[in-house]
Amino acid sequence: MIEDADAVGDKVTAWVMDADPAFPDPSELMGHVVEVLNDLGLRADLKIVQRDKYFDTVYQSTAAAGSKGHPQVYLSGWISDYPGAGNFLQQFRCGSFSNPSGWCSRSLDAKMDEALGLQATYPGAANRAWTEIEHQLVEEAAQAPLTNPISTNAVSARVGNVQVHPQWGILLSRLWVQ
């Protein structure tokens, strides 16, 4: 984990792809992040990577975590495979493929193993364990999210049986219309 700009040399580099379907202008967004980092005294600059090379550059960097050649700040996103806390939080495991920052806590990994073991037989205890893990991640500032998307569905009074799945959104196959 980076403590200050000197931990990685002269600058902190914010990495961004040149074009991203999820953001209208990713370079402008990360440019703002760079301004904020500079305001905080971290001497940041922006590195724009071609879209077709971004994944390999950020997620498969061979440079050591915390070094100049390793992403310190990067634009990324996460969509869970299923609606469970463990699915999202396990990206912070030591050495996880989806953890390009290299952030690592062996004690947190042990807590995740324990929470996974509880899921099948004690789901309430597992949820409490995942909540504790999430609180620790927030406390340690393992990640600084920029956005948290919210979906809104508007339906007519003639529509019935509206069901919204936490992963897939509105279930169109369940709707009926008068």
Side-chain angles (χ1 to χ4, degrees), residues 105-128:
S105 168
R106 299 284 180 209
S107 66
L108 205 59
D109 280 4
K111 289 180 183 180
M112 288 186 200
D113 290 339
E114 185 178 325
L116 282 172
L118 292 169
Q119 278 186 185
T121 52
Y122 302 102
N127 285 339
R128 288 187 293 279

Side-chain angles (χ1 to χ4, degrees), residues 148-172:
N148 187 14
I150 297 173
S151 297
T152 303
N153 301 300
V155 295
S156 162
R158 299 181 312 125
V159 175
N161 197 34
V162 177
Q163 297 178 31
V164 180
H165 186 277
Q167 173 78 23
W168 307 113
I170 196 163
L171 300 175
L172 297 175

